[in-house]
Amino acid sequence: MNTPKDLKYSRDHEWVKVEGAIATVGITDFAQSQLGDVVFVDLPEEGAEVVAGQEFCAIESVKAVSDVYAPVSGIIREVNANLADAPETVNQDAYGEGWIVKIELKNESEAEQLLDAGEYEALCAKEGH
């Protein structure tokens, strides 16, 4: 399992990279491996407001459709439109080109409360993965 040390993680298996007031969000390597081959990403609208812990998009794989939950609250400033034509990018580069949205943080302290890489790995181990 690939878990970059410079990212934060939610208990719902999303990763977050905070740069200034913008949080780039995607699903973790663990999550994409559990989903299998991603065939569709139902991207949210730019400008939409998201609330931490609430669903903001869905990912369809050959196995199932899974909701993706916002790890932080704020306004979606950019969506990764490339995923509309190439959803498999989530499998190929979960922490790079497979990012899903960029959220302008409403409350920067929310990001600080997310898990670090070690805590996320421990969570996955506890869940039996």
Side-chain angles (χ1 to χ4, degrees):
M1 183 170 74
N2 181 12
T3 313
K5 305 292 184 217
D6 62 332
L7 302 177
K8 294 289 216 172
Y9 300 89
S10 74
R11 294 183 180 278
D12 296 314
H13 306 288
E14 289 86 19
W15 60 264
V16 177
K17 182 175 185 177
V18 176
E19 296 172 293
I22 301 294
T24 303
V25 175
I27 64 168
T28 65
D29 182 55
F30 169 77
Q32 69 81 22
S33 70
Q34 293 295 302
L35 284 170
D37 294 336
V38 173
V39 295
F40 182 73
V41 179
D42 183 19
L43 294 166
E45 295 287 326
E46 289 183 1
E49 184 167 355
V50 295
V51 176
Q54 294 188 358
E55 170 202 347
F56 74 94
C57 81
I59 293 180
E60 183 176 342
S61 72
V62 293
K63 291 182 179 177
V65 176
S66 296
D67 294 330
V68 180
Y69 299 93
V72 292
S73 300
I75 306 294
I76 295 175
R77 293 298 179 202
E78 187 176 350
V79 299
N80 187 352
N82 294 330
L83 297 180
D85 294 328
E88 67 277 8
T89 306
V90 172
N91 295 114
Q92 297 165 350
D93 191 12
Y95 297 117
E97 296 300 314
W99 63 275
I100 299 171
V101 294
K102 294 188 180 199
I103 298 172
E104 182 178 343
L105 296 170
K106 187 173 185 178
N107 181 354
E108 293 182 24
S109 68
E110 282 182 349
E112 296 167 8
Q113 297 170 11
L114 295 168
L115 305 175
D116 65 25
E119 292 169 329
Y120 179 69
E121 289 173 347
L123 172 73
C124 291
K126 184 177 178 182
E127 291 180 351
H129 307 292

